[in-house]
Amino acid sequence: MFRGAFKNLSSIVHKGTIIMERDYISQVAPLQRAALKERCILVDKLDRPIGEATKEACHELNAEGTVPLHRAFSIFLFNSKGELLLQKRSSNKITFPDHYTNTCCSHPLAEIPNEMEEEDAIGVRRAAIRRLNYELGIPSNEIKPSDFFYLTRIRYQAPSNDHWGEHEIDYILFLQRDDITIDPNPDEVSEIRWVSRSEIENFMKTTSLLTPWFRLIYKFKLLQWWDNLHSLNKFQDHENVTYLSD
């Protein structure tokens, strides 16, 4: 009887510990918490789809401090002056809140069939239009999938805090336009700014909070791409996934 009571008490304590450990999820802002139910595309290191999982499962650190590898994209929007649009992620974001990053970063979703299509990254391009609309208020009819220049893919991984992290194969999409409407969603974006090529080095040196993918892309790739905005074809690589790390 005593042993049984001890077992029941241990079970209660264990359940209570789990609840306390996951209490951080209840602290997530409502719209961000709802988005945790979206389903990301799981991939292997060659970017071959191997399944799907919720956004929560794809970003919640496991006991080893890692998260499943999943498909994502990063958009770099330039104007005709060659300035790059940066955003500051809102304080509500689950990973890397209040960090500066490139124009828009998100995921194609498994529950949207046309975002699963792979030929010429058409599914990713469609997802990019959807997220530009959601994050930056850019009307979906102002951008076509063919407007994006699909440059290459990179893979990176990084923890955000004790609970959340990233491990993504990131499609790099460039876009150069002036004639678009921008009206940021405050739940996603707290600030936007255009940065010139001559300003970016100082910006990166003096800004303490930068997303890891943006910092790594800047460190290894971005300046060369930026200097060749009108001849990006020579850097295009759809065959390989480049792993970037510090």
Side-chain angles (χ1 to χ4, degrees):
M1 180 176 178
F2 182 79
R3 183 181 301 171
F6 180 78
K7 182 178 180 181
N8 289 339
L9 178 60
S10 297
S11 178
I12 291 169
V13 170
H14 177 68
K15 290 177 180 177
T17 301
I18 292 173
I19 290 170
M20 289 176 65
E21 286 176 349
R22 291 178 57 81
D23 185 58
Y24 56 85
I25 294 178
S26 68
Q27 305 303 314
V28 174
L31 288 176
Q32 298 291 330
R33 188 163 64 248
L36 288 175
K37 303 306 177 187
E38 295 175 345
R39 303 193 69 80
C40 297
I41 303 166
L42 299 178
V43 293
D44 64 15
K45 291 180 180 180
L46 296 178
D47 192 35
R48 295 176 298 204
I50 58 173
E52 59 185 67
T54 64
K55 184 178 177 183
E56 179 180 335
C58 286
H59 294 85
E60 188 174 17
L61 296 176
N62 61 24
E64 288 73 40
T66 62
V67 298
L69 180 60
H70 54 281
R71 186 173 288 170
F73 58 83
S74 282
I75 303 166
F76 293 77
L77 170 62
F78 296 86
N79 60 23
S80 59
K81 295 185 290 185
E83 296 170 328
L84 172 62
L85 182 65
L86 304 182
Q87 65 155 279
K88 184 179 181 181
R89 292 160 68 87
S90 82
S91 58
N92 290 336
K93 295 292 286 183
I94 295 168
T95 59
F96 305 100
D98 299 314
H99 284 55
Y100 281 94
T101 193
N102 50 289
T103 310
C104 180
C105 323
S106 193
H107 318 86
L109 297 179
E111 65 261 37
I112 302 178
N114 70 8
E115 293 186 9
M116 294 282 288
E117 295 181 26
E118 301 206 359
E119 185 175 357
D120 199 25
I122 185 63
V124 170
R125 296 169 191 263
R126 290 166 177 154
I129 293 172
R130 173 177 57 79
R131 286 301 296 194
L132 283 173
N133 174 252
Y134 184 71
E135 291 190 19
L136 292 168
I138 299 175
S140 297
N141 61 2
E142 291 188 2
I143 301 175
K144 304 185 300 294
S146 59
D147 291 335
F148 294 105
F149 185 87
Y150 164 36
L151 189 53
T152 190
R153 294 166 292 177
I154 63 105
R155 181 170 70 88
Y156 76 95
Q157 53 186 325
S160 176
N161 54 32
D162 291 339
H163 308 305
W164 306 106
E166 295 282 7
H167 188 193
E168 298 180 330
I169 287 184
D170 210 3
Y171 284 64
I172 307 301
L173 303 176
F174 272 38
L175 180 67
Q176 189 164 19
R177 292 279 296 275
D178 284 325
D179 55 336
I180 54 175
T181 306
I182 300 177
D183 182 19
N185 174 358
D187 192 65
E188 293 285 329
V189 178
S190 62
E191 180 186 329
I192 60 171
R193 61 185 297 176
W194 292 95
V195 177
S196 69
R197 173 65 175 81
S198 62
E199 296 169 329
I200 189 64
E201 184 176 2
N202 185 61
F203 177 84
M204 299 299 285
K205 286 181 178 179
T206 59
T207 303
S208 58
L209 296 179
L210 297 164
T211 61
W213 61 88
F214 179 49
R215 180 176 50 77
L216 287 167
I217 291 169
Y218 169 81
K219 179 179 179 181
F220 291 104
K221 300 284 186 179
L222 182 58
L223 296 183
Q224 187 178 39
W225 295 338
W226 202 333
D227 288 338
N228 292 273
L229 285 179
H230 301 293
S231 55
L232 287 171
N233 284 322
K234 60 187 178 183
F235 302 104
Q236 193 172 49
D237 180 3
H238 294 176
E239 299 299 319
N240 301 296
V241 177
T242 303
Y243 182 63
L244 300 182
S245 66
D246 291 314

